[in-house]
């Protein structure tokens, strides 16, 4: 048992449902107690979905505890088959139903006989894998199922497209800025003269899955979800895949260079000049390269920040901050424990320390200890930041509704670099404000300082001290007060006078 | 379709395939209500994920609730539940020092048959902290019924010594409370004053047996309802739940109890059977009509002639005029998810609306008998057909019926609200009725405020022509 207040990744069935409901005309049936269909609320609220979420529950109640599901699950599958005529019905277990140890596979097999829809059982262990791992698995399971089906029916056409083409694997409902990223990726590939073969699962029909092998290569923009499918397609059909994320200027150009290699290998006659394209985009389309040279960004040099999120976003943002903006990343971390090795390798050399944890209090403690100037993290880090009075830019799921913006906000590609530059710059205090902070000695340079010193250590302020404190602009007053008290505490001073304040300012400046 | 019988209420029961919140959500409002409590939800990641997402921002405010997240080793009984729970409760005790820890049993603890009721007393003795067990799981209950299970469990912890009758003993109890207060750093003076004032009041008012109200309401609303009864010379000797666990009301065979919410049937049963209290069956104080009859029924039991209630009700109705013009003649469809549906429907019919269907998770005809009678009376008074009441509704079928009936308003959960709006059906999110202050004369306005919001917004949509936004 674990005392938990908050979690970064959801339970396994959420992952399965995200895959199923991203496909067109696929229905998921959860074997779950009343109230477990909260996924529908999230999709309807966060994504502001106009259509009914194609997820229903086959309710597990008291009767099922005593006599088992018997015909109920099968009936529900057949009913959905009749009502909605989906191409595929995915039966999804939940943590509750999985301990009932009912043979759901048998229900699926029996329902298949009568159903005109295909029926699959999402085989995920709720106590071992999380939302992302389950989504990754389910996507692979569905892809494999349809490719094998086409193979059996001998309709699988393995001929490659004439022009270079790619599949994008892993665009999902409820994914962090997924829709915008997808649009940006399409634009990028279009610029490179590469056709989009299929995008899965978002908006894709399962009947199109048999087209997957026609692509020259696969793109997995986020390594949490889609990698298993890419590996399967590589193994089975020898389709190469890219799992590097085109985030940031350097990340995007590396991504394009990799595509160039794949394309040129297959078609040496391809005349597109990728280098020129990268150069032009970097110079003129993306403002991020210019931004990092501008004096605005100069002010950010060496500032201490902390990064935390899923493996893809945390690693990419860490690299952008360190390589492209000269910002000092004190700690970079991820909650994707299963991908810890990859993550460590990616951020090595770009940060002082690496934190791999699913426990948000550990992250909070790390932030309190480091006292960064800004945080780049999930919604949880944003709230930690609020409590500690440190600004935070949200760069990764888990997210709130404000992270589903209506405007165009990709994180990937060249437009993504602009968005990220804005996000990073806006998260820091602005330049002039910053000078004022310096001027009044508002920076914490001491290690291991204690939060909230005021009125706890018997330190009092004299009247003239307070008067002097009042002269300081309000937005830095708290910090100056804190630093002065810290100084007084170290020196063993009981009452803070004007002189003590000046001395404190000097000592911080030194 | 919709051949509604107008002679007597019809009850139907569908498949139970409907969307509602999991009953563990009750911790959200109960931990705020009972200030010295800590709620420990013993369940899986699924439960945690639900709480985290459903309660949104609250989760970041160091709430006094947490998950005891079961892991594989707990499920396969490799770990000892007793030791694990004791370890977590000890940690909670050290970090937060609550006066009570409430264990919320979930579906998983039911299925693996974790003996929470058996373990609680042992850990309670060892850690010297009360542990209350409530099985608020999705196998048996829906949404607000979670509160019902917690209050039923709390009822067992209410002292039996009467405060009014046996003053010596009750004073002794006050002393015990004082000691408690000292421990928890609460001002004992104000406590003492409060007690004295309440004792004085008891002497002043009409001589009637003690009355305890049950149902968790924001303290402002409990105060309003208490005052409303005081005007009739009725003293409320206590509320279940009280604001602090250490102040639970006394319950015994002399105490009359009355519910303020329609989903509290288990609590009512427990109070009657275990605590031998006498239940006053009344409609619920939702809407001025409901509030008036609620007060009248209580007065009636105590043989008090209600004073000035008629005028009070009619003044409230008059102040609603603007809202009533908006809702008059409009139709409503309740999909059903929080058990407030019957009372709300009754109030809306009285406000001039037509109700097509009242979906409701669970219908306790005995506990809701007075409310049902008032609904029938209201329908005949307003000369509208009786709505159909659908227990354990089937959301899919309901959507088909909504498509056919095209109601002016569907009161529904968030899962269906946006898709219905996109199809030109105005909706109101049902959960808001659970969290808004809707009880008593004063707050009835809030119900209409909620109900009319889509209508007021529609006035904008009429001008733009953006009604249906799906293909």
């Amino acid at each position: 048992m674990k005392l938990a207040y908050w979690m970064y990744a959801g339970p396994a069935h959420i992952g399965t449902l995200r895959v199923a409901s991203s496909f067109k005309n696929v229905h998921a049936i959860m074997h779950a107690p009343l109230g477990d269909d909260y996924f529908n609320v999230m999709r309807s609220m966060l994504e502001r979905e106009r259509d009914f979420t194609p997820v229903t529950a086959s309710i597990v109640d008291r009767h099922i505890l005593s006599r088992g599901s018997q015909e109920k699950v099968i009936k529900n599958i057949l009913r959905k088959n009749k009502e909605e005529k989906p191409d595929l019905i995915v039966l999804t277990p939940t943590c509750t139903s999985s301990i009932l140890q009912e043979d759901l596979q048998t229900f699926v097999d029996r329902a298949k006989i009568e159903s005109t829809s295909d029926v699959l059982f999402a085989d995920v262990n709720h106590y071992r894998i999380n939302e992302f791992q389950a989504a990754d698995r389910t996507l692979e399971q569905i892809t494999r199922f349809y490719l094998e089906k086409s193979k059996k029916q001998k309709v699988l056409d393995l001929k490659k497209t004439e022009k270079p083409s790619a599949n994008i694997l892993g665009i999902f409902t409820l994914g962090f800025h997924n829709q915008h990223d997808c649009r940006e990726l399409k634009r990028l590939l279009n610029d490179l003269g590469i056709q989009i073969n299929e995008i899965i699962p978002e908006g894709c029909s399962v009947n199109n899955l048999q087209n997957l092998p026609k692509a020259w290569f696969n793109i997995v923009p986020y390594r949490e979800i889609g990698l298993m499918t890419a590996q399967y397609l590589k193994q089975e059909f020898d389709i190469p895949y890219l799992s590097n994320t085109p985030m940031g200027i350097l990340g995007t150009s590396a991504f394009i260079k990799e595509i160039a290699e794949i394309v040129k290998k297959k078609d040496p006659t391809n005349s597109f000049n990728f280098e020129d394209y990268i150069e032009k985009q970097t110079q003129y389309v993306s403002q991020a390269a210019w931004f990092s040279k501008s004096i605005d960004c100069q002010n950010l040099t060496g500032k201490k920040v902390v990064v935390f999120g899923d493996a893809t976003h945390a690693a990419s943002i860490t690299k952008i901050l360190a390589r492209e903006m000269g910002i000092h990343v004190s700690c970079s971390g991820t909650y994707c424990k299963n991908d810890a090795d990859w993550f460590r390798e990616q951020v090595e050399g770009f940060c002082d320390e690496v934190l791999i944890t699913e426990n948000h209090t550990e992250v909070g403690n790390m932030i309190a200890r480091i006292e960064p100037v800004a945080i780049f993290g999930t919604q949880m880090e944003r709230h930690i930041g609020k409590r500690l009075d440190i600004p935070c830019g949200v760069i990764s799921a888990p997210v709130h509704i404000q992270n589903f913006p209506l405007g165009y906000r990709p994180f990937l590609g060249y437009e993504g670099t602009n968005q990220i530059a804005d996000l990073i710059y806006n998260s820091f205090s602005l330049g002039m404000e910053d000078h004022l902070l310096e001027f009044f000695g508002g920076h914490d340079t001491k290690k291991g300082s204690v939060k909230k010193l005021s009125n706890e250590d018997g330190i009092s302020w004299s009247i003239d001290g307070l008067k002097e404190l009042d002269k300081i602009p309000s937005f830095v007053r708290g910090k100056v007060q804190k630093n002065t008290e810290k100084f007084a505490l170290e020196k063993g001073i009981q009452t803070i006078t004007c002189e003590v304040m000046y001395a404190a300012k000097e000592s911080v400046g030194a | 379709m919709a051949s509604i019988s107008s002679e007597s209420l019809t009850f139907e029961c569908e498949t139970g395939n409907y969307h509602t919140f999991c009953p563990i959500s009750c911790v959200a409002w109960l931990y705020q209500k009972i200030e010295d409590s800590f709620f420990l939800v013993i369940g899986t990641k699924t439960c945690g994920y639900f709480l985290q997402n459903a309660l949104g921002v609250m989760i970041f405010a160091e709430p006094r609730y947490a998950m005891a997240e079961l892991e594989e080793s707990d499920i396969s009984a490799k770990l000892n539940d007793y030791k694990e729970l004791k370890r977590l409760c000890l940690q909670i005790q050290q970090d937060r020092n609550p006066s009570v820890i409430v264990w919320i049993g979930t579906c998983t603890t039911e299925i693996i048959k974790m003996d929470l009721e058996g373990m609680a007393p042992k850990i309670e003795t060892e850690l010297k902290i009360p542990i209350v067990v409530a099985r608020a799981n999705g196998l048996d209950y829906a949404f607000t019924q979670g509160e019902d299970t917690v209050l039923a469990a709390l009822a067992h912890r209410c002292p039996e010594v009467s405060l009014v009758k046996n003053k010596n003993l009750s004073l002794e109890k006050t002393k015990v409370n004082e000691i408690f207060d000292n421990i928890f750093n609460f001002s004992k003076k104000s406590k003492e004053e409060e007690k004295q004032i309440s004792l004085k009041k008891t002497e002043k008012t009409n001589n009637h047996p003690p009355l305890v109200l049950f149902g968790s309401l924001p303290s402002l609303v409990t105060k309003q309802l208490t005052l409303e009864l005081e005007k009739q010379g009725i003293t409320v000797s206590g509320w279940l739940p009280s604001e602090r666990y250490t102040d639970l009301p006394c319950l015994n065979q002399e105490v009359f109890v009355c519910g303020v919410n329609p989903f509290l049937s288990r609590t009512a049963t427990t109070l009657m059977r275990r605590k031998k209290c006498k239940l006053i069956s009344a409609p619920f104080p939702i809407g001025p009509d409901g509030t008036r009859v609620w007060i009248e029924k209580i007065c009636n039991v105590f043989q008090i002639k209600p004073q000035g209630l008629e005028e009070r009700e009619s003044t409230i109705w008059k102040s609603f005029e603007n809202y009533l013009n908006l809702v008059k003649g409009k139709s409503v469809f309740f999909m059903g998810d929080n058990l407030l549906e019957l009372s709300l429907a009754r109030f809306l019919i009285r406000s001039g609306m037509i109700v097509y269907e009242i979906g409701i998770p669970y219908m306790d005809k005995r506990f809701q008998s007075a409310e049902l009678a008032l609904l029938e009376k209201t329908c005949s008074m307003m000369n509208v057909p009786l709505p159909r009441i659908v227990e354990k509704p089937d959301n899919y079928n309901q959507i088909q019926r909504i498509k056919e009936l095209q109601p002016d308003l569907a009161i529904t959960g968030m899962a269906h609200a946006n898709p219905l709006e996109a199809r030109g059906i105005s909706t109101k999110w049902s959960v808001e009725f659970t969290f808004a202050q809707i009880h008593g004369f004063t707050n009835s306005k809030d119900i209409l405020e909620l109900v009319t919001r889509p209508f007021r917004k529609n006035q904008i949509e009429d001008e733009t022509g953006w009604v249906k936004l799906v293909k």
Side-chain angles (χ1 to χ4, degrees), chain B residues 282-294:
Chain B
F284 301 97
I286 292 169
D289 49 339
T291 309
R292 178 185 157 188
V293 184
W294 182 72

Side-chain angles (χ1 to χ4, degrees), chain A residues 2 9-13 93-95 98-99 101 123-135 137 335-339 358, chain B residues 44-46 69-76 78:
Chain A
K2 190 165 85 181
H13 73 269
T94 54
C95 55
S98 67
I99 40 177
Q101 297 192 323
D123 196 7
V124 286
N125 183 326
H126 277 77
Y127 294 93
R128 290 196 188 155
I129 61 175
N130 66 23
E131 174 185 352
F132 300 120
Q133 292 162 293
R137 271 190 83 127
Y335 54 82
C336 297
K337 274 173 127 170
N338 55 309
D339 219 5
E358 286 174 318
Chain B
T44 60
K45 247 184 175 351
T46 306
E69 196 184 308
L70 300 169
E71 292 167 299
E72 199 171 20
S73 39
D74 297 303
I75 306 298
S76 55
K78 276 195 189 119

Side-chain angles (χ1 to χ4, degrees), chain A residues 5 19 51 172 202 207 219 224 271 288 401:
Chain A
Y5 297 87
V19 174
D51 284 316
F172 282 91
E202 185 66 48
N207 299 320
I219 294 169
E224 283 76 22
S271 59
I401 191 150

Side-chain angles (χ1 to χ4, degrees), chain A residues 26-39:
Chain A
V26 170
H27 200 99
I29 295 181
M30 303 164 70
H31 190 41
L34 196 65
D36 269 4
D37 59 350
Y38 192 72
F39 175 77

Side-chain angles (χ1 to χ4, degrees), chain A residues 36 103 144 146 167 181 335 395 469 491:
Chain A
D36 269 4
D103 192 356
R144 184 189 286 265
Y146 277 98
N167 298 316
D181 283 349
Y335 54 82
I395 54 131
L469 189 66
K491 297 273 175 251

Side-chain angles (χ1 to χ4, degrees), chain A residues 375-409:
Chain A
I375 309 166
F376 298 97
T378 70
Q379 278 293 337
M380 191 65 206
E381 281 69 52
R382 194 171 74 86
H383 284 271
I384 294 171
K386 258 188 185 166
R387 228 183 293 161
L388 298 175
D389 212 10
I390 302 170
C392 176
V394 175
I395 54 131
S396 159
V399 283
H400 284 173
I401 191 150
Q402 66 261 43
N403 302 112
F404 291 89
L406 301 174
Y408 187 48
R409 301 268 162 74

